Amino acid sequence: MAEQVDIKSRLEKLSRLVEVSLVLNSTLELEPLLRYIMDAAAEITTSRNASILLMDAKTQELYFMAFDTDDALEVQLQLRRFPVPLHGSVAGAVVLENRPIVINDVSSDPRHYRKADDTSGYQTNSILGIPMRIKDRVIGVLEAVNKIEGNWTPDDENFLEILASQAAVAIENASLVSRLRSAYQELRQLDKMKNDFISIASHELRTPLSVILGYASFLKEEAQGEASEHAEAVLNSAIKMRQIIEDMTNLRHLKIGEGELEQEVVSTSVLMKLAMSDVLSTAEANGHHIDFNFPPDDVRISVDKLRVVMALTNLLNNAVKFSPHPSTIKFYYEEHGQDIWLVVEDQGIGIAREQLERIFEEFYQVEDHMTRRYGGMGLGLSIAKAVALAHKGRIWATSRGTDQGSTFYISFPMLE
Ligand code: ADP
């Protein structure tokens, strides 16, 4: 009869363990998870309480992560993050020896760490401590505390070992998720700070800059000889600065969705001509020749005109900027099925294969910021990419490598 009761209770505990394992696999919130593990540990070992101690991966110190008592909240609070020495505590011995430790009477055991009881006011009588492992690494200890009746049994030990192995994985997953969450929050915060900073800086710079521009052009007209040259130098620098501020302000274009586009049906050649007229004078001033081939007027696309011209202008400006010697820049179109590709091809400094994707990232520049020869903010291509994607188009680059020139493609769906 006693044997039957024994089997029944074992079966009940085993089916409880199966239930517990299902819950553990699906819980990613750390707090409820810890509570659940401790409740289950006390229940399957018929003990009053349970506690979880974890190893700090950085400092390799052991500390109480959670302690479960129904009656004394202050005990839980007192023990939270309470450090426990590796030498001179039961949990420490479990970690160091990497095996279960069964103590039916802590009063006669020198390993018991009395300071925890003294601090919390809780009276520990017996402990069953099991290592929690991930592969061979001990990440902490699961303890059942104060057996309700009699001594710990081999079943208590076996069941708690099963629970501890699943608890280890569940706790590790939940801690990873919580670390990922805080890293994500931090990144969002940084991103917001960056955007706030840029919008404040660009706004604050604009006003003094327009004063400088105004005075410099006035001086350039009025002054004679050398003074006029100096005024011109000031004016040119101020114009460059205005371009940088313009780029910063254009950051908002990075976030455009399809809904924000002001689409209209336009002839592709008109878009290409507008973009070319934006850069022609700079290109010629640098000794470049633009070799163009525009499509017939009836090749039309439905796009946000201003934004597409901005994207094309960015590509053309880059071709000029990254071609240090006078050369030919090609600007042409190709039809591929339902798509039209607009292509900017230069003979400039080229791009290494491993950089061809990264250059479209916000603020990414191949050259180191400290040793840069070419100006810019690293935004032109990411803006062009955002424009292409918002139109369900694509953008990509090819290059045979350093000093072999680059070709940029931007494609849009053509109208029937
Ligand atoms: P910026 O030109 O302001 O640096 P972009 O986003 O337009 O920013 O370009 C990002 C980077 O991609 C540039 O800094 C440069 O390293 C590389 N790049 C872009 N266009 C070219 C090109 N035509 N030839 C060589 N490198 C280029």
Side-chain angles (χ1 to χ4, degrees), residues 318 321-322 346 351 359 364-366 376-381 406:
N318 279 348
K321 181 160 72 175
F322 295 106
D346 67 49
I351 302 164
I359 49 172
Y364 186 80
Q365 298 179 312
V366 173
M377 295 255 298
L379 284 174
L381 289 181
S406 320

Side-chain angles (χ1 to χ4, degrees), residues 224-276:
Q224 308 278 320
E226 210 179 326
S228 164
E229 277 167 34
H230 291 323
E232 184 166 0
V234 173
L235 189 61
N236 287 340
S237 301
I239 290 173
K240 267 192 202 141
M241 206 162 154
R242 185 173 59 187
Q243 185 56 47
I244 292 179
I245 295 174
E246 207 52 31
D247 272 0
M248 286 195 200
T249 324
N250 282 341
L251 259 182
R252 68 196 150 83
H253 291 290
L254 286 172
K255 308 279 181 280
I256 42 170
E258 201 185 335
E260 288 159 67
L261 293 179
E262 289 171 24
Q263 289 197 323
E264 58 183 307
V265 174
V266 273
S267 154
T268 312
S269 65
V270 168
L271 298 171
M272 293 176 82
K273 279 176 199 156
L274 283 171
M276 198 169 90

Side-chain angles (χ1 to χ4, degrees), residues 7 17 34 42 52 66 73 94 120 127 138 140 159 161 176 190 192 207 214 236 244 253 261 267 342 351 357:
I7 290 180
L17 267 177
L34 295 171
I52 294 173
L73 183 66
V94 172
S120 62
I127 297 179
V138 181
F159 290 153
E161 273 205 274
L176 269 178
L190 279 177
K192 185 173 175 310
T207 320
N236 287 340
I244 292 179
H253 291 290
L261 293 179
S267 154
L342 309 182
I351 302 164
E357 301 234 342

